[in-house]
Every structure is written in structure tokens, then in C-alpha cells.
Amino acid sequence: MWRAAGAALRTPGAPRQLRRGLPTPSRSSQKAATLVVTPKAGLADELLDIKAEGLRPGERVTLRASAASHRGRLFRSLAHFEADARGGLDLARDPALGGDFEGVEPMGLLWSLTPAGSGGPCLGRMPRGVLKNPLKVEVTVHRAPQQPEGPLGPALASARVQRWFSSPELSRVRLQTGRVRGSFLLPPGDGPFPGLIDMFGDGGLNESRASLLACRGFAALALPFFGYEDLPPIMKDLNLDYFEEAAKFVQSHPKVKGPNIGVIGSGKGAELALSMASFLPNIAAVVSINGCISNTATSLTCGGLILPGLPFNLDKISATNSRAYDIKEALEDPLDPAYRESRIPLEKASAHFLFIVGEDDRHWKSSVYADIAVHHLTEHGKTNFTLLSYPNAGHRIDPPYSPFFSAALDPVLGVPVLGGGQLKAHAVAQIESWKKILEFLHLHLG
């Protein structure tokens, strides 16, 4: 399956092996250190097995991971370890003694990747060309520095791996059907597959999550609604007709198990997913990741009804030392009677809801909004919901082992804003929620 990816790792100019040892004079009587990371090429939500051999018994070493984003931004992480009595190290067994994480964390080097250097706030987006460009990660092992913050010496061994957001077997259709734009991803085979629509709120086309979902058996439409091809360059007044047309495309596709489909969304995408379930037929499952229970920022026309955009109060935006803005208090209160018409009528939906929230979301009060949604549904006699709330997790809850972004460019305000979250807690939210998302979608879409 990954033969082509493995061949790419052996291109001219690249190391011909994923295990390399650098002997030193003090090691002349022992074998060179080796570092093995497997699989060499695999899906971005899969576990890695990271092991080192040929170290001195009980030797203190530092493992570092480095990766470059599609924009060329460098990400790094590191942790300190102690080799066992045989000079071996296994991250699935041996605890990290410090660095970016502590304890037994087999994937700690991946989920603790953060932007390196002194650049500005990093855009919180996953790679766009996911079918062609994997996240390339290099892991190196070094002797532990004498001082906690001291520089690392030469690598004793290194290994390179590719983390793909797709697989060679997926088919991708660039969608230009009517007004709808996007990317439709299908698993191999004749199907029929459970169908779903995936949306983010930061503009453009983001296929990362949709393609991983397609790898897990779903026919997934990555659906942009501004900032892509001939769609409006900025988010402005929206019409549910666009999203209904997208839903009908998925529902009627010969390889989709219809008519019921699911919708998954983050931020503004989550809010639109809730609106689709409330106004459109055959939406059977909705995953809302840190969304609001009101239509925000711009109006949404739903047939003869218009939901005004719940506005932001710019006076409640504050600057921070990190050159990003804190906007958590800026969105007006959805329970304020003055903004009642912005509320999404969730009680009309027959879909099952999975609300996922990060309790340290600094983009807006997603925990409060999810609690309001659950209370509102309960008041209307509904039990068609599950709420997953993660302490100290931030706004952008991506698929597991994704790099951590502390800030992102807000498409409405046009400035970098804080996303919130603490590194390990946010990683836990991404890992655990992904399992729940797959279970939820398989359960309610078959």
C-alpha cells in the first residue's frame, strides 16, 4: 500500500536507510547506535513504534523530532530518556524524564511538535495538498546535554518517516457541480459507503480530516464555502441552498449509502453543520467541534427565514504579549434576547449530535455554548446528543498527533487570535475525540 511512499524516502539526495549510526571513540568497543521508527510511511492517525539500540546501559539521551509544514515552517519537539540495562530504549515502555513531556508517551514526540524559532503566531491549518505531500518527520537521538537547556550534540542515529493524510487507494474528485466546490474523497471498492460532509471555518479547501475519514471507510466531501476558486474571497452572507446542494450531491452519489448522511465541522463549520441538521432532511449525524449554538458573524438565509449573524464586540478584544489577540469575550451572548433570532433551532433536528469542546478554548466560549445546546435539547424532550468536554484543550481540535497551534489567523477579524489549550491536554483531546468521532459516525451512518 505504501510502496510508492517508501520509494520516495529512497530518492537521490536522501538517506538510503532509515537507520544510521555514528560511532564515536568511546563507542569503539560496542556497536553503533541505531534508531528505528516504524512504519516508515503510514497514515497520520496511526501509532509509531520508536526504538533505539546500541546505547550505553543507563545512558541519558535526548530524542528530538523535526518536521516542516507545507509552508516551510519548522516544528520541533524533544524529550529526555534513560537507556535500559541492555542499552535499549522503547518509547512504548520507557518514560520520558523531561523535555516537552514526561512519562510513557509513545507518540509524545509527535503531539508535542510546536513551531520552532521566533516567528509570529503560526496559522493553525493542516497541510492542504494531502494526497501528494505527507508530513515528513525526522527523529534523532543525541547524548543528553549537560545543562537542561544546553545545545544538542551530533546525532548518534536518525530515522525519517512520512505521515500521510491520505492513501494511494483513495479516489479524489474535484467538485465543480453547480455552485458547489470542494473535494470528494472515496475509499477503494464499489461501496456503498456512509457519506458525510466536512467543513472548517477558516476559508479555503482543507482536505486533511476528510481524507483521513475516507481512509476509515467514509465517502467524504471536504466542503469550502469561501476563499476557494470562484467562491467569495471572504466570508459574507451565506445561503443554506449552497449546503443543501452539497448534501444532495453526497446523498445521490451511487457509491454512497443514502439517503442519510453526516456532517462534521469545526468552529464556523460546526455551526453550519448544526444549521444543516435543523433545516435540511436526511442529516442523521452531526459532529460539532467547538461550535456556537447561534449563527455568527454573517447572516444565513434558510429558505424564507434569515438567521442574523451574532456579532463580535470589538471593544472586548485584548492584545497579548504573543502578538495574537484574545477574543474569547468578544462574541455577544447568544442568550441575550436582543440576539434571539440568531439562535439555531436545534430542536427541529432529528440528527444525533456529538458535541466536542475544549474547556480552554480562547476563540469563544464553546463549553458554554455546548451546555446551552444540551439544556435546550433536553427541554424539548430530546436525548439525541452526547457531550465530550476536555479540560485544558483549546479551540482547534484536529485529528490525533497533529502539531499544536497556539494561535491562528481569524478569517473574519483578519488578525491572529489565541486558540487556547495546554499541550498535553490538547493532545489527549485530539486522540480521544478522534476515536469517539469514528465510533459515532459508524454507529449512526452504518
Side-chain angles (χ1 to χ4, degrees):
M1 172 176 171
W2 296 104
R3 188 174 301 167
L9 284 170
R10 297 189 293 273
T11 54
R16 299 187 64 84
Q17 296 180 353
L18 289 185
R19 296 187 292 178
R20 182 172 73 230
L22 298 178
T24 65
S26 61
R27 294 176 177 272
S28 58
S29 62
Q30 68 178 80
K31 63 180 181 179
T34 59
L35 182 65
V36 179
V37 183
T38 53
K40 299 174 183 179
L43 291 176
D45 61 352
E46 292 179 344
L47 286 170
L48 288 177
D49 184 57
I50 304 175
K51 295 178 180 178
E53 297 289 345
L55 305 171
R56 295 194 191 100
E59 181 176 12
R60 294 290 184 100
V61 295
T62 297
L63 266 63
R64 182 171 73 180
S66 303
S69 73
H70 65 300
R71 288 187 173 91
R73 185 70 183 270
L74 181 64
F75 292 78
R76 279 182 174 165
S77 64
L78 62 80
H80 310 300
F81 297 88
E82 182 177 299
D84 63 20
R86 296 184 296 106
L89 181 63
D90 184 348
L91 267 62
R93 175 199 67 199
D94 299 318
L97 306 177
D100 292 324
F101 58 92
E102 294 183 349
V104 178
E105 296 287 347
M107 295 294 288
L109 289 173
L110 272 293
W111 58 249
S112 64
L113 284 168
T114 53
S118 57
C122 189
L123 297 181
R125 292 178 177 174
M126 299 305 295
R128 299 299 174 114
V130 294
L131 293 186
K132 297 181 180 180
N133 301 310
L135 183 67
K136 298 177 181 178
V137 182
E138 181 178 34
V139 182
T140 53
V141 58
H142 310 254
R143 287 198 181 92
Q146 296 296 319
Q147 302 297 326
E149 302 299 326
L152 295 179
L156 303 175
S158 68
R160 295 184 181 184
V161 296
Q162 294 180 351
R163 305 283 288 173
W164 288 83
F165 293 85
S166 182
S167 79
E169 288 83 6
L170 288 187
S171 68
R172 176 184 183 270
V173 177
R174 182 179 175 184
L175 198 62
Q176 290 183 312
T177 303
R179 292 170 296 176
V180 178
R181 301 294 178 263
S183 180
F184 190 53
L185 298 127
L186 281 166
D190 296 328
F193 308 105
L196 58 85
I197 293 174
D198 182 28
M199 296 181 290
F200 289 85
D202 50 11
L205 175 65
N206 189 333
E207 300 172 284
S208 58
R209 186 169 59 201
S211 59
L212 278 178
L213 287 166
C215 291
R216 301 306 178 198
F218 297 93
L221 170 61
L223 182 67
F225 48 94
F226 73 99
Y228 178 69
E229 292 187 347
D230 57 352
L231 296 175
I234 61 173
M235 187 170 65
K236 57 183 182 179
D237 294 346
L238 300 170
N239 195 310
L240 199 66
D241 287 349
Y242 175 81
F243 304 93
E244 182 176 21
E245 188 175 335
K248 287 181 178 178
F249 168 83
V250 177
Q251 290 162 343
S252 62
H253 194 279
K255 289 191 175 184
V256 170
K257 180 183 178 181
N260 290 338
I261 64 170
V263 188
I264 178 172
S266 299
K268 180 69 178 180
E271 166 194 316
L272 288 166
L274 298 178
S275 295
M276 290 177 69
S278 300
F279 290 102
L280 301 180
N282 301 123
I283 306 297
V286 171
V287 179
S288 168
I289 303 173
N290 284 328
C292 185
I293 42 79
S294 290
N295 178 60
T296 65
T298 184
S299 67
L300 177 66
T301 299
C302 308
L305 179 67
I306 297 178
L307 300 183
L310 184 67
F312 287 88
N313 185 338
L314 300 184
D315 292 333
K316 294 183 179 180
I317 297 177
S318 58
T320 69
N321 293 332
S322 64
R323 289 185 285 171
Y325 292 85
D326 190 338
I327 66 170
K328 183 172 184 176
E329 302 295 330
L331 190 64
E332 296 288 6
D333 183 1
L335 294 181
D336 187 330
Y339 305 113
R340 181 177 301 170
E341 293 182 356
S342 298
R343 288 280 300 276
I344 300 168
L346 293 178
E347 71 280 359
K348 294 183 178 182
S350 58
H352 293 268
F353 295 103
L354 177 61
F355 297 101
I356 297 172
V357 298
E359 295 179 13
D360 190 37
D361 185 354
R362 301 300 304 177
H363 188 86
W364 54 25
K365 301 176 182 178
S366 54
S367 289
V368 174
Y369 306 149
D371 288 340
I372 294 173
V374 166
H375 180 72
H376 183 74
L377 289 170
T378 303
E379 280 189 331
H380 284 81
K382 301 276 189 174
T383 59
N384 55 339
F385 59 84
T386 300
L387 171 60
L388 301 178
S389 187
Y390 294 97
N392 299 316
H395 183 69
R396 187 60 178 262
I397 298 178
D398 282 314
Y401 320 123
S402 299
F404 178 70
F405 298 96
S406 61
L409 184 67
D410 184 87
V412 176
L413 301 175
V415 296
V417 300
L418 294 180
Q422 298 177 15
L423 185 59
K424 182 174 181 178
H426 194 83
V428 169
Q430 294 192 143
I431 295 167
E432 294 301 323
S433 66
W434 185 246
K435 298 174 186 176
K436 297 297 184 181
I437 288 169
L438 295 177
E439 292 173 1
F440 175 83
L441 293 174
H442 278 298
L443 174 64
H444 296 293
L445 300 179

